[in-house]
Amino acid sequence: MVVNPQYLDKENLAQIQSLFKQNKELPSIHLHSFFELNFYGKILEEISSLSFKKEKDPLTHSYSAANIPRLLSSFFSSSEFKDFLFSVGGKRLSVIGGRLFSFSWKEYTVLHDTNVDKPGYDLIIDCTDDWDDSFGGSLIYVPGTGEYTSIPYRGNSLTIVQRKKGVQKFIKYVNTHAGKKKRIFFLGNLK
Amino acid sequence: MNDSLSSWIPSSYLKETSLVALKKSFQNNTPFPHLNLQNFFREEKIKKIGEALHQETFFPKNSDLFQFHQTNDFKGSRNKVIIGLRTFLCSPEFVDFMQKITGLTLRSTIIDLHATLYRDTDYLLCHDDQLEGRKIAFMIYLSMLTKKDGGSLQLLSSKNKKPDSVVKEIYPCYNSFVFFKVSPTSFHAVDEVIGNIPRLAMGGWLHGR
């Protein structure tokens, strides 16, 4: 078992499902301390051995990306995770694609006409342990109308966001106060 | 020499020979036509403009593309100094001066004019400024920043009509007037300001006929 047992408890799962649906415009759930510490430590270890590749188009994005860590890939195909997703989303969902992203000073994404998300579910596994809001780097969801929603950063957290029609997202520019720190997270889609 | 022009701009910029040289520089500058004119306004004028801006309200602007403070368009300003500057910048005399340098056909009486204030960590990411009618983008700097302070106006080269890399950085210099030709490839950005020197500037666009 690699998931924090409190997220496998039936009563808790029922509560998580109801919380997920509470925000009608942007159904989402953000779970802290998601993995058992030992497993999370191993994920971080694997991440530190991965090679990230810089990708940049000044008009739309600047970041580094790496393929999904092997440990996360196996976890996504486990029955433990599939059952968890079923309990939260109320239907069978699988991880389809996704990559590990790293944002450091001067990196960002912007909303752009050429890069429009179709409705669906995002899965975010945050691996950023040493970060502060003042550094920028927030993952921000923008509904067609209404307020921006910033996803709280926290290492070892799992976030699921249901993007309805017109909902887009961007990563706020990382400023000089980040120094050499990096904002690292897995971002994938569920279907 | 035109009285209206010479009351705002030093006579050294207004000689026919200066205009010919400026036109040549504007067209030859890379990655796209631009000019950076130092000590552009007469000292007493720029001093009053700086003082007037301190009376204006700057509103926070924050999005995926930028973070800074900006005034409303000065079309509705009640400040006499700012109204005076705005009237001058879209006067037939000044527009004619700009036409001679840029070779573009510009409209007098129509202008966009506002002021921006960038503080620590504020920035503006790469974009092209294209919007119907805009021919010339201009900035009047009221601060002095150097490399360690960030805040440069970055001009990017382009490849296949897409921005490629920063090839020129213009650091704000008090009383400099910087302008460039707006085109589908006039890609530019404002580098993040680092530290406690506020970057105060006026900016806007001249329109075409």
Side-chain angles (χ1 to χ4, degrees):
Chain A
M1 195 178 291
V2 298
V3 173
N4 182 338
Q6 66 169 317
Y7 295 128
L8 302 175
D9 176 272
K10 277 189 181 171
E11 276 182 31
N12 287 346
L13 281 169
Q15 205 181 352
I16 289 168
Q17 190 184 62
S18 106
L19 279 171
F20 179 75
K21 291 177 177 166
Q22 220 167 57
N23 182 344
K24 297 271 182 252
E25 196 169 22
L26 192 75
S28 58
I29 192 76
H30 179 71
L31 305 175
H32 295 172
S33 306
F34 184 73
F35 293 114
E36 288 276 43
L37 272 183
N38 189 31
F39 184 70
Y40 179 61
K42 284 181 183 168
I43 294 174
L44 294 185
E45 209 176 291
E46 189 183 346
I47 288 174
S48 68
S49 72
L50 294 174
S51 61
F52 285 82
K53 196 180 160 202
K54 176 86 180 179
E55 297 179 14
K56 184 172 183 177
D57 171 350
L59 281 181
T60 57
H61 66 270
S62 175
Y63 51 66
S64 296
N67 287 334
I68 176 170
R70 189 184 46 81
L71 278 175
L72 278 184
S73 181
S74 331
F75 169 68
F76 292 155
S77 53
S78 69
S79 55
E80 184 180 359
F81 186 57
K82 285 177 180 169
D83 291 347
F84 166 82
L85 284 181
F86 182 74
S87 306
V88 174
K91 57 180 173 182
R92 287 276 162 210
L93 292 164
S94 308
V95 180
I96 47 153
R99 290 195 296 167
L100 199 63
F101 291 92
S102 167
F103 287 79
S104 52
W105 184 32
K106 290 183 182 285
E107 296 189 315
Y108 58 89
T109 69
V110 300
L111 304 171
H112 203 268
D113 300 345
T114 56
N115 205 8
V116 177
D117 283 332
K118 287 179 183 164
Y121 292 83
D122 284 346
L123 169 68
I124 301 121
I125 292 175
D126 202 328
C127 303
T128 312
D129 286 292
D130 188 12
W131 198 258
D132 188 275
D133 271 340
S134 66
F135 299 168
S138 307
L139 171 57
I140 294 169
Y141 280 83
V142 186
T145 56
E147 293 290 309
Y148 284 18
T149 301
S150 182
I151 304 297
Y153 68 88
R154 181 173 286 214
N156 196 13
S157 68
L158 175 140
T159 302
I160 297 172
V161 178
Q162 186 182 359
R163 279 180 289 97
K164 297 191 174 177
K165 197 180 173 191
V167 174
Q168 302 296 317
K169 60 180 179 286
F170 69 91
I171 301 289
K172 184 73 175 163
Y173 174 88
V174 175
N175 65 46
T176 183
H177 295 301
K180 293 193 170 173
K181 290 173 182 166
K182 291 176 180 353
R183 172 103 167 78
I184 294 176
F185 56 86
F186 167 85
L187 172 63
N189 298 115
L190 300 173
K191 194 172 179 183
Chain B
M1 191 183 297
N2 189 291
D3 285 349
S4 165
L5 277 178
S6 58
S7 67
W8 283 87
I9 302 170
S11 52
S12 56
Y13 278 123
L14 304 176
K15 294 174 192 159
E16 283 300 318
T17 48
S18 306
L19 289 174
V20 171
L22 291 176
K23 183 174 185 179
K24 200 172 172 189
S25 299
F26 176 77
Q27 281 167 349
N28 290 342
N29 275 341
T30 54
F32 44 83
H34 69 274
L35 267 186
N36 178 4
L37 304 179
Q38 307 286 310
N39 299 312
F40 187 69
F41 292 101
R42 290 196 174 276
E43 243 175 68
E44 65 276 14
K45 294 284 190 192
I46 194 76
K47 192 172 169 237
K48 282 189 178 167
I49 293 165
E51 286 165 2
L53 286 184
H54 283 98
Q55 313 298 320
E56 294 294 321
T57 308
F58 288 76
F59 301 95
K61 301 280 173 186
N62 203 338
S63 78
D64 53 332
L65 195 66
F66 50 72
Q67 176 185 300
F68 53 77
H69 283 67
Q70 188 178 37
T71 63
N72 289 330
D73 190 284
F74 286 134
K75 194 176 181 178
S77 175
R78 290 180 181 179
N79 188 307
K80 282 183 184 168
V81 173
I82 288 171
I83 294 169
L85 173 68
R86 188 178 179 280
T87 306
F88 170 66
L89 292 176
C90 64
S91 66
E93 293 81 7
F94 183 72
V95 168
D96 182 55
F97 169 80
M98 291 298 286
Q99 287 189 138
K100 282 178 178 160
I101 295 175
T102 62
L104 297 168
T105 307
L106 302 169
R107 291 179 76 164
S108 55
T109 70
I110 295 181
I111 192 171
D112 302 309
L113 183 69
H114 58 265
T116 54
L117 178 65
Y118 289 68
R119 289 187 281 219
D120 187 37
T121 75
D122 287 351
Y123 65 91
L124 170 59
L125 297 177
C126 178
H127 63 290
D128 62 18
D129 260 14
Q130 273 233 300
L131 206 70
E132 208 182 335
R134 289 177 178 176
K135 294 284 179 190
I136 291 289
F138 65 85
M139 284 68 64
I140 301 165
Y141 291 115
L142 291 128
S143 305
M144 185 77 93
L145 284 88
T146 60
K147 196 168 183 179
K148 67 174 172 43
D149 310 310
S152 64
L153 171 69
Q154 301 178 316
L155 308 184
L156 287 87
S157 59
S158 55
K159 260 187 196 166
N160 303 322
K161 297 187 178 174
K162 292 185 82 180
D164 189 37
S165 57
V166 175
V167 292
K168 184 155 187 179
E169 290 194 271
I170 299 173
Y171 284 92
C173 182
Y174 181 79
N175 197 16
S176 59
F177 181 62
V178 174
F179 56 94
F180 61 81
K181 182 181 175 181
V182 176
S183 77
T185 54
S186 55
F187 296 116
H188 61 284
V190 176
D191 195 21
E192 181 186 348
V193 168
I194 298 167
N196 297 322
I197 300 179
R199 181 192 194 274
L200 179 64
M202 293 182 87
W205 294 273
L206 293 175
H207 292 246
R209 270 194 283 220

